[in-house]
Amino acid sequence: KAEQKLVPEVFGRSSPRSEWKYWTDVAPATGLAAPQMRIVSDQIIGEQREIVLHIDSSERAISTRMVFEGVTVLKASLQDKKMIEKATEKWNFSISAMPENGVHLRFSIDKNAQLADAKLRATDVFYEPTASVNGLKLPPAISIDFLAMAVSVLDIPATPAK
């Protein structure tokens, strides 16, 4: 049965969308692959910890939403282009038209940051069917914000890998 509720498993708890209520109901399984996140490097530089991630959308989503939870990002760059240069809590952004080989996200946090609840959530958003969801039919006269989403969550490690 459809009901209106928060959906933190999709939007996390730090995104502006995390406070919106959405109409939800059981949907058919789509078989969509979630976006992939892999730590490329993780090191201490002075008073900061710098982490480089490779992010990819194998389904070639129209948009990949990125949300940081439980950690303040001090600075960040995507594909070596500066995105932020001052401490930002609840930081989130979207990547439109992900390149075929994915992207690198470099971000810094305080080297002593408490990371028990620190997560990075990647959500691929689809506004029309991809090849892997062919045959998915929507009931007539239903308004939707998006057709499908695929979510992956990366727990930010408490310490850099040795």
Side-chain angles (χ1 to χ4, degrees), residues 49-119:
R49 179 174 169 195
E50 180 187 84
I51 300 172
V52 178
L53 293 178
H54 181 76
I55 305 163
D56 193 13
S57 168
S58 61
E59 299 280 354
R60 301 294 157 240
I62 193 74
S63 176
T64 301
R65 295 178 181 156
M66 306 297 298
V67 177
F68 282 82
E69 299 175 14
V71 65
T72 297
V73 177
L74 302 176
K75 61 184 177 181
S77 62
L78 186 69
Q79 298 295 85
D80 296 323
K81 298 212 178 353
K82 288 181 185 174
M83 296 182 74
I84 60 171
E85 293 186 68
K86 63 178 185 170
T88 306
E89 290 184 51
K90 299 183 179 181
W91 186 50
N92 65 86
F93 64 97
S94 291
I95 303 166
S96 298
M98 179 81 69
E100 279 191 35
N101 58 348
V103 295
H104 274 73
L105 171 66
R106 178 182 309 270
F107 65 96
S108 295
I109 58 177
D110 185 292
K111 75 174 185 178
N112 298 312
Q114 298 300 308
L115 301 174
D117 298 320
K119 298 181 184 323

Side-chain angles (χ1 to χ4, degrees), residues 27-47:
T30 62
L32 287 172
Q36 328 280 279
M37 293 183 284
R38 174 178 52 85
I39 296 175
V40 175
S41 69
D42 186 349
Q43 59 187 336
I44 302 294
I45 301 174
E47 294 301 309

